Amino acid sequence: MDTALADRLAAVDDRIRDAARAADRDVSGITRIVVTKFHPAALVQDLYALGVRHVGENRQQELTAKRAELVGIPDLTWHFIGQAQTNKARLVRAGADAVHSVDRARIADALHNAAPGDDVLDVLVQVNLTDDPGRGGVAPEEVGALATHVAALDSLRLRGVMAVAPLDEQPGRAFERLRRCADAVRVVVPDADWISAGMTGDFPEAIAMGATHLRIGSAITGPRPPRD
Ligand SMILES: *Cc1c(COP(=O)(O)O)cnc(C)c1O
């Protein structure tokens, strides 16, 4: 076992506890997702041995391949956090337990239409907190309309919102906008109380703002291998 991995995981968990305490929050309300993208399935196995039960992937092909490789580990929750393509909806749905990146009605419809039987998929509305409309996510002012659309699809369970903080702004300020978007979603679906925010560089700020799901990669896994 990789002791450096264990040390980094423990150090991040200490920081999560500290940030929760500083924000007067119960750490049990915070799910730490380890983002394992670009790393081999063996790393997921090592993380599992260290107690990790939530992992995140941002590419469908990688998600599908790792999940197939690790099919013997049933109690692992796979979060899909990347841009989803409508023609891959069936594979995303087959590989993910939760999809954080629903940012348009068409991808919601595609995921819904790919539902096997009466299975229900957890989804979040991804919000674009930047000024660049080319970034993933729906504009904050359109969150309510997209939430209404998603809420009408009975094979999807709308759980909340997800965002990445812009690089050129204090993350805490950006996360304030995300919190207002979370409020807008709860007007539509009152129990949709997930806020997926916080990465290696900004998870303490996300905890202070109320994040329930942190997506932490390199602080735990170490640097990512180059992508192919
Ligand atoms: C890669 C990624 C993360 C994790 O990034 P780190 O900075 O390595 O913690 C979180 N969220 C999304 C959407 C990502 O693509």
Side-chain angles (χ1 to χ4, degrees):
M1 175 57 66
D2 178 353
T3 57
L5 181 66
D7 289 348
R8 287 191 300 266
L9 180 66
V12 166
D13 284 349
D14 280 346
R15 292 177 60 202
I16 292 171
R17 265 191 299 278
D18 289 348
R21 197 177 302 118
D24 206 14
R25 294 186 56 196
D26 188 338
V27 77
S28 68
I30 299 172
T31 300
R32 178 252 298 117
I33 299 164
V34 183
V35 177
T36 48
K37 63 187 186 197
F38 312 166
H39 289 281
L43 180 84
V44 178
Q45 234 156 357
D46 288 348
L47 288 163
Y48 183 84
L50 294 169
V52 169
R53 293 295 178 270
H54 291 265
V55 292
E57 288 289 336
N58 75 334
R59 292 194 296 183
Q60 171 269 316
Q61 277 169 298
E62 217 180 313
L63 170 71
T64 302
K66 279 183 208 170
R67 187 145 194 180
E69 208 171 324
L70 299 174
V71 71
I73 308 182
D75 59 332
L76 199 52
T77 299
W78 295 82
H79 297 260
F80 186 71
I81 61 174
Q83 184 78 31
Q85 290 173 296
T86 51
N87 63 342
K88 296 292 166 55
R90 192 167 299 278
L91 289 164
V92 168
R93 201 163 170 144
D97 300 295
V99 174
H100 292 225
S101 43
V102 171
D103 63 356
R104 56 204 192 279
R106 281 193 56 218
I107 190 66
D109 292 342
L111 288 168
H112 172 65
N113 291 331
D118 51 11
D119 180 56
V120 175
L121 178 71
D122 286 331
V123 298
L124 294 90
V125 165
Q126 183 179 352
V127 184
N128 182 357
L129 298 175
T130 75
D131 298 327
D132 176 0
R135 290 302 184 94
V138 67
E141 56 276 14
E142 288 161 21
V143 165
L146 182 55
T148 302
H149 185 93
V150 173
L153 302 172
D154 61 8
S155 80
L156 304 181
R157 181 175 178 196
L158 181 56
R159 304 306 301 254
V161 293
M162 179 273 234
V164 175
L167 292 172
D168 57 355
E169 185 185 3
Q170 293 264 342
R173 286 191 44 197
F175 291 147
E176 275 301 323
R177 293 201 295 287
L178 181 62
R179 182 145 72 176
R180 287 197 291 276
C181 293
D183 294 343
V185 166
R186 279 201 308 278
V187 170
V188 180
V189 178
D191 69 350
D193 56 2
W194 293 13
I195 301 180
S196 168
M199 308 176 22
T200 288
D202 55 24
F203 69 84
E205 288 90 341
I207 291 168
M209 176 280 304
T212 62
H213 291 68
L214 315 174
R215 307 178 313 270
I216 305 178
S218 46
I220 295 171
T221 63
R224 280 185 277 276
R227 60 191 304 173
D228 42 63

